[in-house]
Each structure stands twice: as C-alpha cells, then as structure tokens.
Amino acid sequence: MKVSCAWLYAITKYGYPPSFENCIKAIKEMANLGFKFIEIEIVGEKQLLEFKERCGEIKEFCRGLGVEIINLCAIFPNIISLNKELRTKAIENFRESCKICKSLDCDMIQLDSFTPPLKFVGDLPYKEAISFGRQFKVEIDPDFNWKVFWDNFVETFKICSDISENEGLKLCLEPRVGENISNTDAMLRLLDAVSSDNFGAVLDVGHLHAQKEILPLSVEKLGSKIFYVHASDNDGRDNYHLPPGRGTVDWDALIKALNKHNYRDYIAVDIGGAGYTGNIDLEIVESKNFLEKLLRKYGLLD
C-alpha cells in the first residue's frame, strides 16, 4: 500500500474551492511535505474550464515535482438533478473531467452522492466542504418521491461508470455523513444497482466511524469493491477529520481487514476541514508517518 495526500489539505489551507493558483500552490506544498501521490479536485464548470485550458501546465508541474495524481474528484451537484437539462449538462462536465483525468495520467475519477433534494432550514451540509458537529433541519416536499429520485440516481451512476470505463478510468464514490450514500450498506445497494466492475467505493474512515460503523465489518462487506481509502480519525460521534491515532478508530484491525481482502492501493491522509484549528502541515506529516509505520508493521508499505 502507498500513502497519498487527499485534497482536503488544499481546502483547509485555501478555502472551498481553492482558486486555480492556490491549487498549484497546494500541489507544490504536498510535494514538499514528502508526498509522491496526491489527489486533486475540480469543483464546478468555471474550474473545469480552467483545468481544461491549463491541463498541460499541471501535468508538467507535477512531473517536475515528482508527484503523481492518483485520483481526481469531479464535483457537479446537478449530476443527480431530476431536471433533465441540468443533469445532462453536469454529465457532460463529468465527461470532460474524465478527459482531463486521462490527460493527467490518472486512472481513477471520483464522484460525490451529494445531499438529498430536501429543503434545509438554516445551514446546508457541505456548504463549505466538510463541517463537523452540526445538526440540520429539513422539510420534505409532499411531491417528493424517493423511488423516482433513486431510479434517476442509479441511472446517472450507470452512465458515469460507462463514460469513465470508456476513458480507461475507474470510478469511485465515498459514503459521507448527510449525503444520499451515507454508509456502507447504502454503498452496497448502489454498487449492486449499477453492477459494474468499473465502479467501486472509497472507504472513508472518518465518515464511516462517525456513522458508528464497525469498520472491519465495512471492509468485509465491501471487499474487493474498495478502490481507495481516506484516512482520518474522530470520536465516533462527529465526523471530525483528525490525524489518525487522535480518535477511537482501531487502525490495526482496519489494516488487518484490508490485508485480508488483498487491498494494496492508496491510503490518503484526509485531515482538516471547516473549523480545523491544528497546524495542518505538521499534522499531515504526523499522519503520513503514523500510517507508514502501521503499514510497515504488517509488511504492507510499498
């Protein structure tokens, strides 16, 4: 297994979403902190156009730093919209993101499942990326039909899986607190419905632990459908993204479970988020060292 750096580092330092220039700065800083493998994120059509125009620049910049982009997260919330026009446009934006991903020699693209189409009274989940310890109030439209929404949702992921496969990419999705796919069993349901070898899960330790999941059991359920791991810690109550070892996650049990299922890919340090008060540079290096020491203990560090 290899330790990589998640894009939450850039969001924590530069806000959501970071400007293109701050994206470049964040990539350089990740490299300076000792990471050879990183992920990046494209948020919305404006940033998509910037990345499309300057893709070659990013590629050469990463090459010069000795850094590989191993995952690209494409954020277009309308991709699950019931409005056909909005959804079609978002899918086309995803298609363009796949082309950028391929151009960057990255072989995996990630989608979110986004928040349900409910009326939120007050704060919205993920308005400023990851937020912690909040309670949300919602109102459900009397005309809302979950089955109609779910069928549309599944169709979208089938389309996106086909698009990514045609580009030679794997497609992944992480269950996140407060989203349409928020836990292991919801992820399994979607995987079964899409039924594609090309589509798999991001095992996001922080989010699943905050959902009070038994993490080794999550690994057992998902098995070979785990395409990627996001590593953070918390108290099992709020979805804080603390450095591994700072919360109540049983990391030894988790690594043993992943090893049982022959997981040998990337584990991304995924700490930070809105309200984060630590020294992100120091703690991300601490997290990298923690994970590498743990993997070395079991002879799993590449």
Side-chain angles (χ1 to χ4, degrees):
M1 299 185 209
K2 305 177 185 71
V3 178
S4 60
C5 188
W7 196 242
L8 187 55
Y9 170 80
I11 293 169
T12 303
K13 290 201 78 169
Y14 298 111
Y16 184 74
S19 67
F20 184 86
E21 296 305 326
N22 282 337
C23 289
I24 294 295
K25 284 176 66 177
I27 290 170
K28 183 176 182 180
E29 288 164 350
M30 290 176 183
N32 289 341
L33 292 170
F35 288 95
K36 296 184 181 300
F37 308 102
I38 66 170
E39 65 180 49
I40 62 172
E41 190 169 276
I42 294 175
V43 182
E45 191 167 355
K46 179 179 180 293
Q47 197 165 65
L48 172 65
L49 293 173
E50 289 180 308
F51 270 77
K52 185 176 180 180
E53 183 179 337
R54 302 177 71 175
C55 184
E57 178 184 335
I58 299 169
K59 185 174 181 177
E60 288 305 311
F61 186 68
C62 288
R63 183 176 294 166
L65 292 170
V67 165
E68 293 181 37
I69 298 171
I70 52 91
N71 183 46
L72 186 154
C73 190
I75 307 295
F76 304 103
N78 284 332
I79 209 161
I80 63 166
S81 175
L82 291 169
N83 180 301
K84 186 176 180 180
E85 184 177 343
L86 293 177
R87 176 173 172 258
T88 298
K89 180 61 177 174
I91 289 173
E92 285 307 306
N93 286 338
F94 174 77
R95 190 188 304 275
E96 289 299 318
S97 298
C98 285
K99 292 177 182 178
I100 291 170
C101 188
K102 187 72 174 178
S103 296
L104 293 171
D105 297 327
C106 174
D107 68 0
M108 185 163 62
I109 192 160
Q110 180 178 336
L111 280 174
D112 276 353
S113 68
F114 303 106
T115 52
L118 308 174
K119 180 181 178 182
F120 285 85
V121 181
D123 286 340
L124 294 172
Y126 305 110
K127 185 178 181 181
E128 299 177 353
I130 294 172
S131 54
F132 312 117
R134 293 184 179 179
Q135 293 184 333
F136 299 100
K137 295 183 179 181
V138 300
E139 294 178 0
I140 295 181
D141 188 327
D143 294 329
F144 176 71
N145 185 308
W146 170 255
K147 186 178 186 308
V148 170
F149 175 79
W150 177 254
D151 289 346
N152 181 76
F153 188 83
V154 169
E155 183 184 20
T156 290
F157 277 89
K158 285 182 176 180
I159 292 169
C160 290
S161 180
D162 288 343
I163 291 170
S164 55
E165 187 170 25
N166 288 338
E167 290 289 344
L169 305 172
K170 295 183 290 184
L171 174 65
C172 63
L173 171 74
E174 67 178 11
R176 303 208 307 174
V177 173
E179 294 199 343
N180 286 294
I181 303 299
S182 61
N183 56 47
T184 303
D185 290 280
M187 187 72 225
L188 286 171
R189 187 183 181 205
L190 182 61
L191 289 168
D192 287 344
V194 174
S195 188
S196 169
D197 291 341
N198 186 60
F199 180 44
V202 180
L203 186 84
D204 190 292
V205 177
H207 281 290
L208 293 180
H209 193 53
Q211 293 280 45
K212 296 182 172 55
E213 298 253 11
I214 301 171
L215 290 169
L217 182 59
S218 293
V219 176
E220 290 296 320
K221 289 177 178 181
L222 292 167
S224 63
K225 298 302 287 185
I226 298 173
F227 283 7
Y228 191 31
V229 177
H230 273 179
S232 63
D233 216 325
N234 57 51
D235 59 6
R237 184 185 67 183
D238 293 323
N239 60 326
Y240 293 110
H241 279 44
L242 303 173
R246 298 276 191 92
T248 57
V249 169
D250 185 341
W251 290 97
D252 286 270
L254 179 67
I255 295 301
K256 287 178 182 178
L258 289 168
N259 185 39
K260 174 186 172 182
H261 290 275
N262 297 310
Y263 182 80
R264 293 295 184 271
D265 292 311
Y266 298 96
I267 299 181
V269 177
D270 189 36
I271 68 169
Y276 181 80
T277 58
N279 183 318
I280 188 70
D281 285 0
L282 289 177
E283 292 190 345
I284 209 160
V285 171
E286 172 193 314
S287 300
K288 181 175 183 290
N289 292 339
F290 176 95
L291 292 171
E292 289 179 344
K293 181 179 179 181
L294 182 64
L295 294 174
R296 197 175 292 113
K297 175 180 175 181
Y298 294 101
L300 297 173
L301 181 66
D302 288 347

